[in-house]
Amino acid sequence: MAIHRFILVSLLLILGFISNTAQSLRFDLQSGHTKCISEDIKTNAMTVGKYTIVNPSEGHPLPDSHKITVRVTSQYGNSYHYADHVPSGQFAFQASEAGDYMACFWAADHKPQATITVDFDWKSGVAAKDWTNVAKKGSIDAMEIELKKLYETVSSIHDEMYYLREREEEMQELNRTTNSRMGWLSFLSFFVCISVAGLQLWHLKTFFEKKKLI
């Protein structure tokens, strides 16, 4: 039993260090302004988000000014979630594109200006899975669920490494292309400078010959 507990604690520690992205934050949004939060998500990764406006007056209805419009888009401009004039909401989708996803919050202009506090929880990858429901459906014990978490985390890290390697290869190719173009541009600039210098010498020589100075 002691060994099982030690293994379980070790797995929990490992999961704590290498778990996937999970953003949980609280921020203030001024009416008439927009605030965007980005998240780098790889292809086919699951992502879930939940946002709620904090009631400034506990026990009282939420003011009409405390409503927000939320849109989640990919870096290519594709929309994955949209909610207009809401006090709270949530979204969940499987990313079909790799890259930065943007969650933008906008509050309608209000006089006098209001400050809206928003609680936002955004998870992706392994952190986005509902492990409680997985355990209930599979009827598995705590040790097995932690092993499943660990397996999913390792698989996710493996995929992330390949994704980062692909991004690195893309950046290297971009650097090679840029260096090649800069080389040609430098050669062209040198050729233009030499040509201009030659024309200037030819012009001066012609001018001095006409004036019979040489």
Side-chain angles (χ1 to χ4, degrees):
M1 183 63 67
I3 295 177
H4 287 173
R5 288 181 181 176
F6 174 76
I7 295 174
L8 181 58
V9 171
S10 300
L11 290 174
L12 287 173
L13 288 173
I14 293 172
L15 286 169
F17 282 112
I18 60 177
S19 58
N20 264 40
T21 304
Q23 286 194 43
S24 182
L25 65 155
R26 174 176 289 193
F27 59 88
D28 290 334
L29 178 64
Q30 302 294 327
S31 57
H33 291 75
T34 300
K35 184 177 183 65
C36 294
I37 297 170
S38 65
E39 177 72 17
D40 186 18
I41 304 174
K42 63 179 181 291
T43 307
N44 297 325
M46 187 66 187
T47 183
V48 295
K50 183 178 181 181
Y51 50 89
T52 306
I53 294 177
V54 178
N55 195 334
S57 302
E58 286 290 339
H60 294 81
L62 195 68
D64 290 336
S65 59
H66 283 52
K67 298 290 177 64
I68 55 176
T69 296
V70 183
R71 184 187 294 275
V72 180
T73 57
S74 69
Q75 64 180 1
Y76 302 104
N78 297 320
S79 180
Y80 285 82
H81 172 74
Y82 177 77
D84 185 32
H85 203 61
V86 296
S88 62
Q90 56 187 9
F91 58 86
F93 60 87
Q94 188 173 13
S96 58
E97 307 163 296
D100 288 331
Y101 283 73
M102 193 81 69
C104 291
F105 300 81
W106 176 78
D109 199 8
H110 188 268
K111 301 296 182 183
Q113 191 178 60
T115 299
I116 301 172
T117 302
V118 182
D119 276 334
F120 182 42
D121 187 29
W122 196 357
K123 300 177 181 178
S124 62
V126 177
K129 281 201 171 184
D130 188 351
W131 291 103
T132 303
N133 287 333
V134 171
K136 288 179 180 177
K137 292 177 182 178
S139 299
I140 55 181
D141 58 23
M143 180 65 70
E144 288 177 304
I145 195 66
E146 295 304 329
L147 287 173
K148 277 184 171 290
K149 284 185 182 180
L150 182 60
Y151 175 77
E152 290 285 345
T153 303
V154 172
S155 298
S156 178
I157 292 174
H158 182 265
D159 295 339
E160 185 72 19
M161 289 176 63
Y162 273 101
Y163 171 68
L164 292 175
R165 184 180 297 175
E166 290 176 358
R167 292 289 292 270
E168 182 183 3
E169 289 176 355
E170 291 175 2
M171 291 300 298
Q172 289 178 350
E173 181 62 28
L174 178 61
N175 288 336
R176 284 193 291 267
T177 303
T178 302
N179 291 335
S180 177
R181 291 176 179 175
M182 287 299 296
W184 280 106
L185 181 61
S186 299
F187 176 76
L188 180 61
S189 300
F190 178 75
F191 176 76
V192 170
C193 290
I194 293 298
S195 299
V196 170
L199 288 173
Q200 287 178 337
L201 290 174
W202 175 80
H203 175 73
L204 290 173
K205 182 180 179 182
T206 303
F207 175 78
F208 288 140
E209 285 177 350
K210 286 182 178 180
K211 294 296 183 178
K212 297 182 178 179
L213 297 176
I214 56 175

